C-alpha cells in the first residue's frame, strides 16, 4: 500500500520541482537589468491614478488590465526593478502550472504514470523556454497574456469534457449543469481577461473557434448531436459574454486610439525563421545560423505527432477522443497566432493597426509549443523508446543550449542615477526643471520619481514637439525663466529632439550658468538669474557613513551601481562637512591595496548648513583588471570605511613568466621597458607582431600613447622620411590605459605593424616609446646615469628579405 502511494506521489513531487525550477530561472538576476523604454513606459502609465492610467491606455496599443495590476502592485511592493518585474515572474510560473494540467489531459487516466510524465515534460519545456523566461522578466503584459492563453485552453478543454460526460437528455438544471455552468463562466472569464491584456489575444480566440468547429463536426459525425449543439451554444455564449464585457472598453478607447502603424518591410521566409527560432531557442538575432536546430524541432514534431495520432487509433496510449483533442487545440494555438500576426504585418499602411516586426508577439504560442513537443515525444516514446528518449534529450538539450547566454550581461548600469541624484543634491524650492529627451522621458522619470525626496524636487517640464524650433525654445523657457530664479536643463540624448542645442543656447543668452556636469553623452546644467553657485544642504548620500577625513567630516556617499563592466563609468559621489581647506585624495584600490585610479580634490569650508560634494569617475576599459575593489579616502584619521565596487567581464591580462630580449630602458619618470618580442626576419606585405614588456614603478598619473616604428636607411616618399611601418595606440589598443597600471606589475602590450609591399630589402631598426596627447610630446629615455639619451628605445633589428 505504501508503494502504491509512493508511485502516485512521485510525479507530483516532480511537478513541484519543475515549478520551483521555473521560479528560479525567472527570478534569477531579475533586478539585475536596467529598465528599457517599453518597461519605463509601463511604469510611467502605472504611476498614474487608476482613472488617469485608463485614459492613457485608451490611447495606447495595449488594453489596461496589466497596467491596473501593476498600479496596485507598485503601491504594495515598491518601485525597484525586482519588485516591478515580479508580477511577470508570477504569471510565468502560473503558466507552467497550467501547462502541466493541460499535459495531464493528453493521456487517459488509465495510463496515469504516462499522463503524469507527459504533463511533467510539457511543464519542463515551458519552464526552460528561453523565450518565456525572457518575457517573464519584463515589465510588460506579454507574460500575463501567455498565461491567459494557456488558462483559456485548459478552461475550454474542461468545458468540452464536461459536455462529453454530461447526460444532456436529463432535465436541466441539475448538478452536472451547475458544474457545466461553472466551466462556462471560467472559460468566458479567461477569454475576457486575455482580451483585456493584449489585443493580439484575438488570434488565440480564433484558434479556439477553429477547434470548436472541429469538435462540433466530430461529434456530429459520431451521432452526438446534442453534445455538438451544446458545445457550440456554450462556446458561443462564452464569446458573447466576453465580447459584451469588452464592448465598454472598445467604445471608450476607439475614439482615443492613435494610429500606430509601422512600415516594416520583411521577407516571409525571414518572418518564418524568426518565429520558429524565437519559439524554440528564444533567439532573435542571426536566426539564419540555427537552421539545423530548427529542423530537428520540426522533424520531432512532425514524426512524433503522426505517431501520436496513429497510436490514438490503435489505443496504444489509451487516449480518449476528448483527451486527444488537446493536441488539436495546441496545434491550432501554435499556428493561428503566428499566421494572424503575419497577416496583420502585411496589411496596407494606414488601413488598420500595423505593428512592427517584433518577436514578442509570438509569446502567445509558447505554451502551445510546449504541449505539442510533449505530445510528439510521447508519440515517439511509445513507438520506439530509444527514439523517444533521444528526441526528449535533443529537445531539452537544444532549449538549454542557449538559455545560459540569456543571463550574460544582465547587470544594472548607471543610466540616470547620477544625473537625478545631482538634482536632488543641489535643488532648491522654487526651481524649474526642463527635460529635453525625445521619447526617453520614461527612463529619466523612472529614476527621478524613485528618489526618496521626490516630493520636494522640481516637477519635470518635458518638450512635447518632435524637434525643437527657436519658437518652441522661446515659448517653453521664457515663462519658466520669468517665474523661477533657477532653471535646470537636463539634456538626455538631445540629438533626438534638440540637435542644434536651441534650449541651451536660449538659456546661455538669458541666464548665467552656475553649475554644469556631464553624465556620459548627457548633460545637466543649472541656470540662475544671478551668479550664485549652488550649495548642497544637509545631503548625506544614499549610503550613510561617518568618518573623519582631513579637516572634514565624511557624511556618506552615492554609488549608483556596485558592479561595472567594460564601457561603463563608475561614478562615486561623496558628501563632506569641511572645517578648513585641505586636499582630499580618493582612490580605487584592489584587494591587495594596488591603486587602479586616484584623484585629488581641493575642499573648502562652506557655510554651517552646507555640505561639499566631490565626484570621482572611474572609466572601465576592456582590459581593466577584474575583481573586488574598494574606494578609499585620505588623509583618513578614523576607522576605514567599506565602499566596495566589483569590476567584471573584462579580458584578463597575459601572465608573463619570462621576458625575452631583455632591456633596461627607463621611459619617462614612471615606466621601465624591460624587453620585447618581435620576428627577426620579414617580407614585404607581412604583418609584424611586436610585444613590449612594460613595468610601472610608480603610479602613472595620465594616459600615455605607445608608438612602435620600423625605421630604415632609405627614404619613404609615403611618410616623407625613413619610417616604413608603424603603430600608435594606447596600450592594448586603448583597452588598458597607463593611468590604470598597477605598480610593479609586468604588462605585455602587443602592437601590429603592416609592412608595405614596396619596402626595400635590407636591415631596419625597431623603435618604441611613449608620448602624451594632445601635444604629441615624446617621453624622454634615460640612461643608467639618469641622463636623457633619446626620445625612443631601439629594440633591435629586423631584416626584410
Amino acid at each position: 500500500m505504501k508503494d502504491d502511494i509512493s508511485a502516485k506521489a512521485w510525479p507530483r513531487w516532480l511537478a513541484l520541482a519543475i515549478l520551483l525550477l521555473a521560479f528560479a530561472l525567472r527570478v534569477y538576476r531579475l533586478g539585475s537589468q536596467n529598465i528599457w523604454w517599453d518597461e519605463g513606459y509601463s511604469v510611467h502609465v502605472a504611476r498614474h491614478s487608476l482613472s488617469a492610467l485608463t485614459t492613457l491606455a485608451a490611447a495606447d496599443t495595449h488594453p489596461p488590465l496589466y497596467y491596473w495590476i501593476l498600479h496596485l502592485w507598485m503601491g504594495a511592493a515598491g518601485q525597484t526593478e525586482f519588485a516591478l518585474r515580479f508580477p511577470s515572474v508570477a504569471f510565468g510560473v502560473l503558466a507552467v502550472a497550467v501547462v502541466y494540467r493541460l499535459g495531464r489531459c493528453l493521456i487517459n487516466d488509465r495510463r496515469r504514470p504516462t499522463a503524469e510524465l507527459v504533463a511533467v515534460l510539457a511543464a519542463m519545456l515551458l519552464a526552460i523556454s528561453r523565450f518565456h523566461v525572457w518575457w517573464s522578466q519584463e515589465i510588460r503584459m506579454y507574460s500575463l497574456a501567455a498565461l491567459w492563453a494557456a488558462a483559456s485552453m485548459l478552461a475550454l478543454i474542461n468545458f468540452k469534457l464536461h459536455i462529453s460526460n454530461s447526460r444532456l437528455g436529463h432535465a436541466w438544471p441539475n448538478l452536472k449543469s451547475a458544474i457545466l455552468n461553472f466551466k462556462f463562466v471560467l472559460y468566458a472569464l479567461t477569454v475576457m481577461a486575455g482580451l483585456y491584456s493584449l489585443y493580439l489575444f484575438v488570434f488565440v480566440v480564433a484558434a479556439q473557434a477553429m477547434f470548436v468547429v472541429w469538435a462540433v463536426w466530430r461529434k456530429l459525425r459520431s451521432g452526438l448531436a446534442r453534445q455538438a449543439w451544446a458545445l457550440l451554444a456554450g462556446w458561443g455564449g462564452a464569446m458573447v459574454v466576453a465580447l459584451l464585457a469588452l464592448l465598454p472598453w472598445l467604445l471608450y478607447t476607439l475614439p482615443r486610439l492613435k494610429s500606430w502603424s509601422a512600415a516594416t518591410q520583411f521577407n516571409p521566409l525571414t518572418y518564418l525563421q524568426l518565429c520558429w527560432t524565437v519559439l524554440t531557442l528564444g533567439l532573435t538575432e542571426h536566426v539564419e545560423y540555427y537552421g539545423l536546430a530548427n529542423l530537428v524541432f520540426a522533424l520531432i514534431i512532425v514524426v512524433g505527432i503522426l505517431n501520436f495520432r496513429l497510436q490514438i487509433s490503435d489505443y496504444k496510449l489509451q487516449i480518449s477522443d476528448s483527451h486527444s483533442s488537446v493536441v488539436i487545440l495546441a496545434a491550432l494555438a501554435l499556428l493561428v497566432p503566428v499566421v494572424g500576426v503575419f497577416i496583420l504585418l502585411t496589411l496596407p499602411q494606414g488601413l488598420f493597426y500595423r505593428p512592427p516586426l517584433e518577436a514578442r508577439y509570438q509569446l502567445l504560442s509558447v505554451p502551445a509549443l510546449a504541449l505539442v513537443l510533449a505530445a510528439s515525444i510521447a508519440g515517439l516514446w511509445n513507438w520506439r523508446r530509444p527514439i523517444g528518449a533521444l528526441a526528449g534529450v535533443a529537445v531539452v538539450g537544444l532549449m538549454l543550449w542557449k538559455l545560459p547566454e540569456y543571463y550574460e550581461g544582465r547587470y544594472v548600469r548607471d543610466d540616470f542615477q547620477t544625473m537625478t541624484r545631482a538634482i536632488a543634491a543641489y535643488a532648491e524650492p522654487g526651481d524649474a526643471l526642463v527635460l529635453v529627451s525625445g521619447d526617453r522621458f520614461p527612463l529619466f522619470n523612472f529614476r527621478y520619481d524613485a528618489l526618496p525626496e521626490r516630493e520636494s524636487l522640481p516637477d519635470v517640464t518635458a518638450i512635447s514637439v518632435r524637434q525643437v524650433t527657436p519658437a518652441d525654445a522661446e515659448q517653453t523657457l521664457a515663462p519658466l525663466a520669468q517665474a523661477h530664479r533657477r532653471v535646470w536643463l537636463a539634456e538626455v540624448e538631445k540629438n533626438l529632439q534638440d540637435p542644434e542645442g536651441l534650449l541651451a543656447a536660449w538659456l546661455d543668452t538669458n541666464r548665467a550658468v552656475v553649475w554644469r556636469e556631464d553624465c556620459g553623452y548627457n548633460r545637466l546644467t543649472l541656470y540662475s538669474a544671478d551668479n550664485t553657485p549652488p550649495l548642497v544642504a544637509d545631503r548625506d548620500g544614499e549610503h550613510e557613513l561617518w568618518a573623519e577625513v582631513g579637516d572634514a567630516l565624511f557624511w556618506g556617499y552615492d554609488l549608483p551601481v556596485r558592479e561595472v563592466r567594460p564601457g561603463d563609468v563608475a561614478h562615486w559621489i561623496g558628501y563632506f562637512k569641511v572645517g578648513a581647506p585641505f586636499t582630499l585624495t580618493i582612490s580605487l584600490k584592489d584587494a591587495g591595496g594596488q591603486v587602479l585610479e586616484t584623484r585629488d580634490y581641493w575642499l573648502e569650508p562652506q557655510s554651517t548648513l552646507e555640505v561639499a560634494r566631490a565626484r570621482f569617475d572611474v572609466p572601465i576599459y576592456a582590459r581593466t583588471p577584474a575583481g573586488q575593489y574598494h574606494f578609499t579616502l585620505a588623509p583618513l584619521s578614523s576607522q576605514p570605511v567599506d565602499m566596495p565596487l566589483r569590476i567584471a567581464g573584462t579580458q584578463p591580462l597575459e601572465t608573463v613568466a619570462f621576458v625575452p630580449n631583455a632591456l633596461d630602458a627607463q621611459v619617462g619618470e614612471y615606466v621601465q621597458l624591460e624587453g620585447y618580442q618581435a620576428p627577426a626576419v620579414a617580407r614585404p606585405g607581412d604583418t609584424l607582431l611586436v610585444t613590449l614588456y612594460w613595468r610601472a614603478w610608480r603610479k602613472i598619473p595620465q594616459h600615455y600613447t605607445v608608438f612602435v616604428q620600423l625605421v630604415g636607411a632609405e627614404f619613404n616618399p609615403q611618410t616623407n622620411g625613413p619610417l616604413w611601418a608603424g603603430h600608435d595606440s594606447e596600450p592594448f589598443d586603448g583597452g588598458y590605459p597607463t593611468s590604470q597600471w598597477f605598480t610593479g606589475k609586468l604588462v605585455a602590450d602587443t602592437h601590429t605593424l603592416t609592412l608595405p609591399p614596396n619596402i626595400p630589402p635590407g636591415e631596419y631598426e625597431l623603435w618604441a616609446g611613449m608620448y602624451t596627447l594632445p601635444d604629441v610630446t615624446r617621453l624622454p629615455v634615460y640612461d643608467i646615469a639618469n641622463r636623457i639619451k633619446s626620445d625612443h628605445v631601439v629594440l633591435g633589428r629586423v631584416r626584410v628579405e
Side-chain angles (χ1 to χ4, degrees):
M1 182 60 127
K2 188 181 286 186
D3 290 344
D4 246 5
I5 295 172
S6 299
K8 291 180 179 179
W10 74 263
R12 295 181 181 176
W13 285 109
L14 188 56
L16 179 60
I18 296 296
L19 287 178
L20 292 176
L21 173 66
F23 177 77
L25 291 175
R26 285 153 181 78
V27 82
Y28 177 61
R29 300 190 71 83
L30 181 63
S32 301
Q33 183 71 22
N34 289 71
I35 299 293
W36 64 291
W37 194 93
D38 280 16
E39 291 184 303
Y41 186 76
S42 295
V43 178
H44 168 72
V45 173
R47 276 175 172 161
H48 292 76
S49 65
L50 285 174
S51 59
L53 74 83
T54 302
T55 302
L56 282 173
D60 190 26
T61 56
H62 299 293
L65 179 59
Y66 176 77
Y67 296 131
W68 292 339
I69 295 173
L70 184 61
H71 172 85
L72 298 174
W73 173 257
M74 284 168 54
Q79 299 186 28
T80 64
E81 288 92 338
F82 185 96
L84 292 168
R85 291 185 176 124
F86 194 83
S88 295
V89 172
F91 303 146
V93 175
L94 286 173
V96 173
V98 172
V99 165
Y100 169 77
R101 293 295 304 174
L102 276 165
R104 289 187 63 188
C105 294
L106 283 167
I107 311 294
N108 200 319
D109 286 345
R110 282 175 288 179
R111 293 287 298 274
R112 175 175 288 275
T114 306
E116 293 284 2
L117 285 174
V118 173
V120 165
L121 179 60
M124 164 70 92
L125 295 178
L126 185 60
I128 65 175
S129 167
R130 172 174 167 157
F131 191 31
H132 197 257
V133 170
W134 170 9
W135 286 98
S136 295
Q137 292 195 327
E138 300 282 348
I139 312 173
R140 296 298 284 164
M141 64 289 301
Y142 298 100
S143 177
L144 176 62
L147 169 62
W148 296 130
S152 61
M153 287 171 60
L154 180 61
L156 181 57
I157 287 295
N158 286 333
F159 181 55
K160 179 178 178 294
L161 288 175
H162 277 285
I163 290 285
S164 300
N165 296 331
S166 298
R167 296 181 181 178
L168 297 178
H170 289 189
W172 288 45
N174 54 30
L175 179 59
K176 286 188 176 180
S177 68
I179 297 174
L180 184 60
N181 286 336
F182 170 74
K183 300 297 181 184
F184 161 84
V185 171
L186 190 61
Y187 175 63
L189 287 175
T190 55
V191 170
M192 179 179 65
L195 292 172
Y196 264 98
S197 299
L198 191 70
Y199 291 127
L200 294 177
F201 194 85
V202 69
F203 296 125
V204 175
V205 177
Q208 294 171 359
M210 294 179 187
F211 168 75
V212 170
V213 171
W214 171 85
V216 168
W217 174 74
R218 286 289 302 272
K219 288 185 178 296
L220 289 175
R221 284 189 58 190
S222 302
L224 301 173
R226 280 179 175 270
Q227 290 188 7
W229 299 125
L231 176 61
L232 186 61
W235 178 83
M239 289 299 100
V240 169
V241 170
L243 291 176
L244 285 176
L246 188 65
L247 185 60
W249 172 252
L250 293 178
L251 293 175
Y252 178 73
T253 191
L254 286 177
R256 295 168 176 80
L257 190 64
K258 298 176 183 177
S259 176
W260 297 93
S261 291
T264 305
Q265 300 297 325
F266 63 93
N267 185 296
L269 180 59
T270 302
Y271 176 80
L272 181 61
Q273 286 179 313
L274 175 64
C275 289
W276 193 238
T277 307
V278 78
L279 286 171
T280 55
L281 301 176
L283 302 174
T284 59
E285 296 180 350
H286 306 295
V287 295
E288 66 275 7
Y289 297 161
Y290 304 100
L292 182 59
N294 286 332
L295 182 61
V296 171
F297 279 105
L299 286 176
I300 288 173
I301 288 176
V302 171
V303 178
I305 290 296
L306 286 175
N307 277 280
F308 193 86
R309 295 300 297 164
L310 288 173
Q311 290 157 29
I312 290 174
S313 303
D314 296 339
Y315 294 97
K316 291 179 181 178
L317 287 177
Q318 298 296 323
I319 304 174
S320 68
D321 176 68
S322 295
H323 288 80
S324 67
S325 60
V326 176
V327 180
I328 304 298
L329 177 57
L332 289 169
L334 171 62
L335 296 175
V336 172
V338 173
V339 175
V341 171
F342 175 80
I343 294 172
L344 199 59
L345 290 170
T346 55
L347 289 175
Q349 187 76 9
L351 177 65
F352 189 62
Y353 168 60
R354 180 178 170 183
L357 178 58
E358 296 284 359
R360 58 180 177 263
Y361 301 139
Q362 312 303 328
L363 194 70
L364 294 171
S365 298
V366 175
L369 176 65
L371 290 164
V372 170
L373 281 170
S376 304
I377 295 169
L380 292 173
W381 172 265
N382 285 275
W383 174 50
R384 296 286 189 275
R385 289 201 169 188
I387 295 177
L390 181 62
V393 170
V395 167
V396 173
L398 285 171
M399 295 183 75
L400 289 174
W401 172 35
K402 291 295 181 179
L403 180 59
E405 293 182 6
Y406 164 73
Y407 298 103
E408 294 178 3
R410 282 188 70 88
Y411 70 102
V412 176
R413 297 163 178 81
D414 185 353
D415 46 14
F416 301 107
Q417 294 97 310
T418 297
M419 188 181 230
T420 53
R421 288 173 186 177
I423 299 173
Y426 288 117
E428 293 180 358
D431 286 357
L433 171 59
V434 178
L435 172 65
V436 53
S437 64
D439 61 355
R440 300 296 189 266
F441 70 93
L443 305 179
F444 180 88
N445 289 344
F446 171 75
R447 298 296 182 193
Y448 188 62
D449 292 342
L451 293 172
E453 59 276 4
R454 174 64 183 90
E455 296 78 9
S456 62
L457 299 178
D459 292 332
V460 178
T461 299
I463 309 297
S464 58
V465 297
R466 184 177 295 274
Q467 196 162 83
V468 176
T469 64
D472 296 324
E474 177 72 27
Q475 185 178 357
T476 302
L477 297 176
L480 290 175
Q482 185 175 3
H484 302 272
R485 183 177 67 89
R486 306 197 318 173
V487 178
W488 293 85
L489 177 63
E491 297 174 280
V492 175
E493 297 186 45
K494 70 172 186 177
N495 288 339
L496 295 173
Q497 195 175 16
D498 188 15
E500 298 179 11
L502 297 175
L503 294 170
W506 192 97
L507 287 168
D508 287 339
T509 303
N510 295 276
R511 288 292 183 271
V513 176
V514 294
W515 181 89
R516 174 170 283 164
E517 192 169 86
D518 290 332
C519 298
Y521 297 108
N522 304 321
R523 170 174 287 185
L524 185 63
T525 308
L526 177 60
Y527 295 88
S528 178
D530 52 45
N531 290 314
T532 305
L535 296 174
V536 180
D538 295 327
R539 171 80 174 169
D540 52 15
E542 181 186 14
H543 305 279
E544 295 184 15
L545 288 172
W546 186 90
E548 296 180 5
V549 185
D551 291 308
L553 293 178
F554 174 52
W555 279 22
Y557 67 99
D558 289 330
L559 185 60
V561 293
R562 294 285 191 177
E563 179 180 321
V564 284
R565 300 193 180 190
D568 296 339
V569 178
H571 301 293
W572 181 95
I573 298 96
Y575 298 91
F576 302 85
K577 205 69 174 298
V578 184
F582 77 105
T583 299
L584 168 71
T585 300
I586 306 175
S587 304
L588 183 64
K589 299 180 180 181
D590 72 352
Q594 284 274 20
V595 176
L596 181 74
E597 290 270 2
T598 187
R599 189 172 301 168
D600 291 336
Y601 297 83
W602 178 251
L603 296 185
E604 295 182 352
Q606 310 293 321
S607 70
T608 56
L609 296 177
E610 280 77 33
V611 177
R613 176 179 179 268
R615 171 175 155 179
F616 179 34
D617 295 345
V618 181
I620 310 302
Y621 300 91
R623 308 300 284 270
T624 300
Q628 194 69 29
Y629 289 80
H630 298 267
F631 290 95
T632 63
L633 307 175
L636 188 66
S637 54
S638 60
Q639 186 71 20
V641 292
D642 185 30
M643 296 179 285
L645 176 74
R646 182 172 179 265
I647 298 176
T650 61
Q651 186 178 350
L653 299 170
E654 177 186 353
T655 301
V656 181
F658 170 73
V659 177
N661 302 313
L663 297 169
D664 189 13
Q666 182 181 345
V667 181
E669 300 179 12
Y670 306 97
V671 184
Q672 196 84 5
L673 181 57
E674 299 197 354
Y676 77 98
Q677 187 171 16
V681 180
R683 294 180 180 275
D686 281 358
T687 296
L688 205 64
L689 294 180
V690 181
T691 301
L692 306 176
Y693 297 91
W694 305 97
R695 195 187 302 270
W697 290 108
R698 294 166 58 191
K699 187 63 183 174
I700 304 174
Q702 64 189 102
H703 292 203
Y704 294 145
T705 300
V706 178
F707 68 89
V708 181
Q709 298 176 339
L710 189 68
V711 180
E714 295 195 32
F715 179 81
N716 183 0
Q718 297 295 324
T719 63
N720 199 29
L723 177 64
W724 285 90
H727 184 261
D728 292 39
S729 76
E730 290 192 27
F732 296 92
D733 290 321
Y736 189 31
T738 54
S739 65
Q740 291 194 344
W741 286 8
F742 292 148
T743 57
K745 300 285 186 179
L746 199 63
V747 177
D749 177 31
T750 300
H751 295 258
T752 304
L753 283 69
T754 302
L755 274 59
N758 64 335
I759 184 171
E763 294 287 332
Y764 291 79
E765 285 187 345
L766 203 56
W767 293 3
M770 291 181 170
Y771 60 84
T772 58
L773 288 175
D775 55 354
V776 195
T777 301
R778 288 190 177 185
L779 302 184
V781 178
Y782 297 92
D783 61 15
I784 298 177
N786 203 29
R787 293 173 300 193
I788 298 175
K789 66 176 183 178
S790 179
D791 63 358
H792 64 272
V793 179
V794 179
L795 302 177
R797 292 182 176 274
V798 177
R799 186 175 72 256
V800 177
E801 295 181 346

